[in-house]
Amino acid sequence: MKSLIFLGLIIWLLKVVNGQVYPIITKWVKSNGTGYANAKTNVYKITYTSDYVYVSTNSIPTFSIGPWASNPNDAKGQSFTFRLPINPSYSSTKVEVPLGHIGLWLNGVSVYNADDGMTYNNKGVWKRNAYVFEGVSFDACKGHPDGSSEYHQHISSSCLYNNTANYHSPLIGFAFDGYPIYGPYGYSSATDTSSAIKRLTTSYKTRSITDRTTLSNGTVLTADLQGPTLAEYALGSYLQDYEYSAGYGDLDEYNGRYCKTPEYPSGTYAYFVATDSSLTPVYPFVVGPYYRGVVESANFGTGSGKFTSSGTVYYEYSAANLNIFNVFTLIIVLLATRLF
């Protein structure tokens, strides 16, 4: 009996040391070889310190990708290493989600925001909804490559997880502020894990407008900055067609809430993907226009995602899928079994 207790204690301590208590370290989908463009798939290296986790990925999933209709770009491995906080904290100021990658799905594929990077008449005011304008180029898994060959998704992918109304949605990714991203279903009472499961709704809705001459904050636009008519492009085609209405849905202006989840039974802030009753993606799709937490700015923009891995190696892809720590763990367990 004593030997079993001792063995259990050793295994528990090794798990704690090896980062097992942090989903942001342990929940990534590990690489199982090479895939599209002969790039290592999913997440191929994870290291961590007391403050950060370093996630290395090519933004190439295991599942089949392509073709991309009307898209001249091709996907290639990206050799990214991103740094995310292990213990995220709320930001005291609003941090706008930028163009390009804003987070990662658990398989290491980049999450992009709702914007396709283009605006009406190139005036920088009416930003195009990527789901509307680029949806034709999405593959079966709802992704496509950009001009730098980075495969990414603006909306959540059914190839990554299954939706079911019977259970809390699974953890499917992390935003760059370190807070988790879930599918659309959560507990009806945010901090009561025994409450019923429901689809959590966004608090963003289309504005009640008949033309695009004003913004949601009341700004009246000069003629040169006004948007196209609703006859030209239906309401919802541009991000400025939407407004936040507190209490309209279950989620806040960041498209999340503080709640308990299966992976965070003590509670955490979490984002939830936005869908309608038929599970069709709706704006803002994943993260709202702003992050809830403090963000590492070096994860954004040109040349971003090039951190040097640091700290303890939790996982690194190799032919045997073993690292020195895992071998050490095995030796300790075997010795404990023999000695006690």
Side-chain angles (χ1 to χ4, degrees):
M1 182 65 178
K2 183 173 70 173
S3 62
L4 290 176
I5 294 174
F6 184 79
L7 177 59
L9 179 61
I10 287 180
I11 293 173
W12 180 81
L13 287 172
L14 287 170
K15 285 184 176 182
V16 170
V17 173
N18 205 16
Q20 296 283 348
V21 295
Y22 294 106
I24 199 169
I25 296 174
T26 64
K27 293 298 184 179
W28 301 99
V29 180
K30 299 171 183 176
S31 179
N32 61 357
T34 57
Y36 194 88
N38 202 36
K40 282 181 284 191
T41 59
N42 301 333
V43 172
Y44 60 83
K45 186 175 183 179
I46 305 164
T47 67
Y48 65 94
T49 65
S50 59
D51 297 316
Y52 297 102
V53 59
Y54 296 80
V55 181
S56 298
T57 175
N58 280 312
S59 197
I60 297 292
T62 298
F63 54 71
S64 178
I65 60 175
W68 304 288
S70 304
N71 186 337
N73 304 314
D74 194 14
K76 296 179 182 178
Q78 298 295 306
S79 299
F80 287 136
T81 296
F82 295 106
R83 187 171 79 177
L84 285 70
I86 288 178
N87 296 296
S89 59
Y90 287 172
S91 175
S92 59
T93 59
K94 288 185 177 180
V95 179
E96 188 173 1
V97 294
L99 291 173
H101 34 248
I102 65 170
L104 297 173
W105 301 125
L106 290 186
N107 63 356
V109 169
S110 295
V111 180
Y112 274 34
N113 71 3
D115 188 349
D116 80 346
M118 304 289 287
T119 62
Y120 180 67
N121 283 345
N122 297 317
K123 295 292 186 178
V125 177
W126 296 90
K127 299 178 180 180
R128 301 197 321 181
N129 184 333
Y131 186 45
V132 173
F133 283 90
E134 296 184 339
V136 66
S137 71
F138 293 174
D139 60 22
C141 290
K142 307 304 180 186
H144 63 175
D146 64 11
S148 62
S149 298
E150 181 179 352
Y151 183 76
H152 63 277
Q153 292 159 329
H154 297 269
I155 61 177
S156 64
S157 172
S158 59
C159 297
L160 181 61
Y161 72 105
N162 294 319
N163 275 316
T164 174
N166 298 322
Y167 304 99
H168 192 290
S169 285
L171 172 67
I172 58 175
F174 287 92
F176 281 155
D177 58 5
Y179 287 117
I181 302 169
Y182 284 85
Y185 293 104
Y187 301 120
S188 54
S189 179
T191 57
D192 182 0
T193 58
S194 65
S195 62
I197 300 298
K198 67 168 295 187
R199 179 179 58 86
L200 302 179
T201 54
T202 184
S203 291
Y204 285 88
K205 62 180 182 178
T206 51
R207 298 164 60 198
S208 297
I209 55 176
T210 56
D211 55 39
R212 294 185 171 99
T213 59
T214 63
L215 298 179
S216 61
N217 62 5
T219 300
V220 178
L221 300 171
T222 56
D224 62 316
L225 298 180
Q226 293 175 6
T229 67
L230 299 185
E232 292 177 274
Y233 292 99
L235 192 65
S237 298
Y238 293 86
L239 306 194
Q240 285 64 41
D241 290 346
Y242 295 89
E243 63 183 355
Y244 171 70
S245 178
Y248 179 75
D250 301 294
L251 305 176
D252 61 20
E253 62 181 319
Y254 310 97
N255 209 50
R257 66 177 187 174
Y258 184 86
C259 58
K260 292 182 179 180
T261 72
E263 290 77 16
Y264 295 88
S266 297
T268 182
Y269 185 84
Y271 301 102
F272 289 80
V273 300
T275 69
D276 63 16
S277 58
S278 64
L279 298 184
T280 300
V282 295
Y283 180 83
F285 306 121
V286 188
V287 179
Y290 307 97
Y291 284 106
R292 186 65 184 92
V294 177
V295 186
E296 175 59 69
S297 61
N299 284 328
F300 305 138
T302 304
S304 61
K306 298 299 180 182
F307 284 96
T308 299
S309 295
S310 180
T312 301
V313 176
Y314 174 72
Y315 169 79
E316 184 169 10
Y317 174 78
S318 68
N321 281 327
L322 290 174
N323 61 41
I324 293 175
F325 191 90
N326 289 335
V327 174
F328 175 73
T329 301
L330 179 60
I331 292 172
I332 292 295
V333 171
L334 290 174
L335 284 175
T337 304
R338 292 290 299 274
L339 292 174
F340 293 88

